[in-house]
């Protein structure tokens, strides 16, 4: 008989624990913004030059207070659940399929948390699954015996305005800047500005898109270790805010709250760039189990 | 300018609104988004009656989150209007006077707005909790099987919107951005 030998290093986690955490995180993310988001938001209200823009930002601040106080989702588009799970390689899951446990958490969170069910079973036939499943899950295997989960419900007003550009190496950093500005300019009022702009540079077609999504979940106070990336983020935030789109797209100096850039090695022939736009409701809940 | 108007909206009120006006709507409005518009278009193609009379009414592009017990509705902010651009001109020609959404509209919609003396309003995107407080009653009146995308009749009180495209075709998104664009 084949036996699994459990070494001293192996940590057993019940999949029911994953379900419980995902459920709570879906509800939490849709009602409370993280502290880093609140902080940039408060700065934006102070700095906005347009009176109408300021009025919109104040409404959004009030909206956040009502959401948390009365447990009404910050936005009616409670998103498709995007979930990043970094599994420590010394972890063993007990209790059935991990993916099913994650989806069960989404199912419970969206049903019991009065969140909108926005997922259709087939992109063409479009029948609602009625429980917001399945989630989009990105797994990564990492060293250690912990499981790190990020739940990022993603609304589609801004998702629809996201772009992938397969630039040429000769386009260089100027090409990247132009791509970012093009995406934001085209998004305009549709993406519910002030937005958070996630950028992925490098990798392959799908890798840069995943990086851009991941960039949106990065704590806004956390800086890139690469100097050119930090400079790019600062320069693009300034340039985007010069576009004039403003809060709600009604004109103003706060079109973006932050620009987060992630990079990855790429092929000698390519320079993929993805721009994943998120509205001001940049939701993410983070836990380590 | 701050304006207080009643819904359904009269021809005179619709014509008097100007791009940039801050408007508080009180009365009855209807929700419809992607799936409901598709069904209404199919009904029109089949010469069937629409579930709501378009004349002088306002459609709010919105699909709410579920209501908690004791509340009329959940979070209730606008969705992106451009996805309804394919359907809006026909509804405007049937008498629809106002649309509430967010984001840009097509030239065809703008032309239909001018042709019919209608208005396109924006509500603040992502302010669903705040906006839900201005909705006093919500009743599903058609396409119940569409869930959040069903057509709802809403009783609203001082529901805050901004005129983006007025009956003369002035577009706030285009003019307001120019004032702050520095590149």
């Amino acid at each position: 008989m084949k036996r699994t030998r459990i070494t001293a290093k192996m940590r057993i986690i019940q999949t029911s624990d994953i379900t419980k955490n995902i459920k709570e995180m879906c509800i939490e993310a849709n009602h409370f913004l993280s502290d880093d988001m609140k902080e940039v938001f408060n700065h934006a209200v102070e700095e906005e030059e347009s009176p109408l823009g300021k009025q919109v930002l104040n409404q959004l601040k009030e909206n956040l207070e009502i959401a948390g106080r009365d447990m009404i989702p910050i936005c009616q588009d409670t998103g498709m659940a995007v979930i990043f799970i970094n599994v420590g390689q010394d972890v063993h899951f007990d209790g059935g399929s991990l993916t099913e446990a994650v989806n069960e958490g989404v199912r419970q969170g969206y049903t019991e948390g009065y969140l909108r069910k926005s997922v259709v079973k087939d992109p063409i036939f479009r029948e609602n699954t009625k429980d917001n499943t399945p989630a989009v899950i990105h797994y990564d295997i990492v060293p250690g015996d912990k499981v790190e989960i990020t739940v990022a419900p993603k609304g589609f007003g801004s998702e629809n305005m996201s772009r992938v550009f397969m630039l040429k190496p000769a386009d260089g950093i100027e090409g990247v800047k132009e791509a970012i500005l093009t995406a934001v300019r085209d998004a305009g009022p549709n993406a519910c500005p002030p937005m958070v702009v996630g950028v992925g540079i490098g990798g392959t077609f799908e890798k840069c898109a995943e990086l851009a999504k991941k960039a949106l979940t990065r704590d806004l106070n956390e800086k890139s270790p690469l100097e050119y990336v930090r400079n790019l983020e600062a320069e693009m935030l300034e340039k985007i805010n010069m576009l004039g789109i403003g809060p709600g797209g009604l004109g103003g100096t706060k079109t973006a709250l932050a620009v987060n850039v992630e990079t990855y090695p790429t092929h000698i022939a390519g320079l993929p760039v993805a721009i994943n736009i998120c509205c001001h409701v940049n939701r993410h809940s983070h836990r380590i189990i | 300018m701050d304006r207080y108007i009643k819904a359904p909206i009269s021809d005179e009120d619709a014509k008097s609104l100007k791009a940039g006006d801050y408007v508080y709507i009180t009365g009855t409005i209807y929700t419809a988004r992607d799936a409901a518009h598709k069904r209404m278009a199919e009904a029109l193609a089949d010469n069937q009656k629409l579930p709501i009379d378009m004349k002088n009414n306002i459609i709010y592009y919105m699909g709410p989150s579920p209501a908690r017990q004791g509340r009329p509705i959940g979070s209730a902010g606008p969705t992106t209007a451009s996805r309804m651009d394919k359907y809006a001109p026909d509804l405007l020609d049937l008498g629809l006077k106002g649309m509430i959404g967010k984001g840009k509209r097509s030239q065809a919609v703008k032309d239909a707005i001018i042709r019919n003396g209608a208005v396109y309003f924006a509500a603040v995107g992502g302010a669903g909790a705040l906006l839900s407080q201005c909705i006093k009653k919500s009743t599903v009146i058609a396409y119940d099987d569409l869930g959040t995308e069903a057509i709802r009749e809403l009783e609203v009180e001082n529901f805050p919107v901004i005129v983006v495209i007025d009956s003369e075709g002035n577009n706030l998104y285009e003019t307001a951005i120019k004032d702050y664009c520095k590149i």
Side-chain angles (χ1 to χ4, degrees):
Chain A
M1 200 174 87
K2 203 176 162 188
R3 289 184 63 186
T4 310
R5 215 160 64 91
I6 298 175
T7 66
K9 270 188 92 181
M10 190 181 281
R11 178 177 170 222
I12 294 175
I13 293 179
Q14 298 298 322
T15 51
S16 56
D17 278 350
I18 301 295
T19 297
K20 181 178 166 284
N21 276 285
I22 297 276
K23 171 192 162 179
E24 291 168 0
M25 292 165 84
C26 287
I27 297 173
E28 183 181 282
N30 273 299
H31 291 86
F32 306 96
L33 273 195
S34 53
D35 289 340
D36 56 324
M37 275 301 295
K38 278 187 204 152
E39 201 180 312
V40 288
F41 213 94
N42 288 339
H43 279 302
V45 180
E46 283 166 29
E47 291 168 7
E48 176 56 56
E49 289 170 25
S50 145
L52 186 53
K54 230 181 174 60
Q55 191 174 348
V56 169
L57 290 173
N58 276 318
Q59 277 192 333
L60 294 176
K61 255 184 95 170
E62 197 187 337
N63 183 65
L64 283 177
E65 283 159 25
I66 294 168
R69 188 191 66 212
D70 296 346
M71 286 306 278
I72 304 172
I74 302 167
C75 177
Q76 77 290 336
D77 185 354
T78 50
M80 190 164 191
V82 177
I83 302 176
F84 290 93
I85 304 185
N86 294 338
V87 180
Q89 62 190 32
D90 298 330
V91 169
H92 170 74
F93 291 102
D94 198 23
S97 152
L98 174 61
T99 298
E100 184 38 47
V102 170
N103 279 321
E104 182 57 27
V106 170
R107 189 172 289 127
Q108 291 178 12
Y110 276 73
T111 308
E112 294 170 31
Y114 294 88
L115 305 177
R116 197 178 78 179
K117 288 74 180 175
S118 312
V119 174
V120 293
K121 196 174 171 186
D122 182 280
I124 302 302
F125 295 109
R126 309 198 73 81
E127 187 195 343
N128 199 299
T129 63
K130 297 193 165 72
D131 58 11
N132 221 54
T133 66
V136 173
I137 310 170
H138 300 282
Y139 289 112
D140 204 356
I141 306 293
V142 297
D145 65 354
K146 302 271 190 286
V147 177
E148 191 182 351
I149 305 176
T150 302
V151 173
K154 187 66 172 70
F156 259 57
S158 54
E159 191 74 354
N160 279 338
M161 306 316 290
S162 302
R163 302 278 293 272
V164 172
F165 295 86
M166 300 304 285
L167 300 181
K168 296 175 182 68
D171 293 329
I173 193 140
E174 292 309 315
V176 171
K177 291 177 191 173
E178 194 48 46
I180 297 170
L181 275 186
T182 300
V184 172
R185 197 185 279 121
D186 290 352
N190 293 27
C192 291
M195 36 188 133
V196 178
V197 182
V199 181
I201 310 174
T204 47
F205 180 74
E206 86 288 4
K207 181 68 183 177
C208 70
E210 191 187 326
L211 286 174
K213 179 75 74 198
K214 205 174 253 176
L216 288 175
T217 69
R218 196 179 86 198
D219 191 303
L220 301 178
N221 296 314
E222 207 176 287
K223 296 291 169 212
S224 169
L226 302 173
E227 193 190 355
Y228 92 88
V229 171
R230 290 196 298 276
N231 292 340
L232 179 66
E233 289 173 344
E235 184 186 337
M236 291 320 293
L237 181 60
E238 198 184 329
K239 283 214 168 109
I240 288 168
N241 284 333
M242 285 162 75
L243 289 173
I245 297 166
L250 301 168
T253 54
K254 287 290 167 191
T255 299
L257 298 170
V259 178
N260 276 2
V261 178
E262 295 288 326
T263 62
Y264 196 80
T266 190
H267 189 276
I268 48 172
L271 175 50
V273 181
I275 297 105
N276 195 192
I277 294 177
C278 192
C279 58
H280 52 85
V281 193
N282 184 26
R283 297 163 282 206
H284 42 260
S285 172
H286 186 79
R287 287 188 189 180
I288 296 170
I289 297 164
Chain B
M1 193 167 113
D2 279 9
R3 295 284 307 272
Y4 292 81
I5 63 156
K6 293 260 178 285
I9 179 172
S10 68
D11 293 355
E12 298 72 41
D13 276 350
K15 281 233 159 111
S16 74
L17 294 173
K18 299 285 167 243
D21 283 352
Y22 208 92
V23 181
Y24 296 91
I25 301 172
T26 298
T28 305
I29 63 173
Y30 297 90
T31 70
R33 45 171 294 155
D34 309 57
H37 274 82
K38 185 163 182 271
R39 269 203 202 167
M40 286 196 283
E42 286 162 0
L44 285 177
D46 288 349
N47 286 318
Q48 286 170 15
K49 207 172 160 261
L50 293 182
I52 45 174
D53 183 12
M54 289 296 146
K55 199 152 173 44
N56 290 90
N57 271 319
I58 296 175
I59 287 183
Y60 182 18
Y61 301 140
M62 189 275 287
S65 64
R68 281 182 185 270
Q69 212 164 14
R71 299 210 184 115
I73 204 160
S75 196
T79 196
T80 310
S82 58
R83 293 195 316 272
M84 270 54 77
D85 282 359
K86 187 177 164 188
Y87 311 108
D90 284 347
L91 301 181
L92 288 161
D93 289 341
L94 286 171
L96 179 68
K97 266 305 159 209
M99 300 156 285
I100 307 171
K102 65 170 167 94
K104 302 170 202 173
R105 304 309 302 262
S106 66
Q107 185 63 41
V109 173
K110 190 170 147 182
D111 293 345
I113 287 173
I114 300 170
R115 183 163 73 234
N116 294 291
V119 196
Y120 170 52
F121 302 100
V124 173
L130 176 78
L131 292 167
S132 76
Q133 310 221 314
C134 306
I135 299 169
K136 303 303 169 188
K137 198 179 161 200
S138 166
T139 317
V140 172
I141 57 156
Y143 310 152
D144 196 11
D145 61 300
L146 294 180
T148 185
E149 296 205 69
I151 295 184
R152 288 171 169 79
E153 185 179 274
L154 304 181
E155 297 301 325
V156 296
E157 218 173 272
N158 290 326
F159 190 89
V161 293
I162 298 153
V163 178
V164 171
I165 304 177
D166 63 26
S167 60
E168 290 171 354
N170 300 302
N171 186 336
L172 179 65
Y173 286 144
E174 287 164 12
T175 51
I177 285 175
K178 279 186 196 143
D179 296 342
Y180 294 94
C181 184
K182 291 167 200 152
I183 49 174

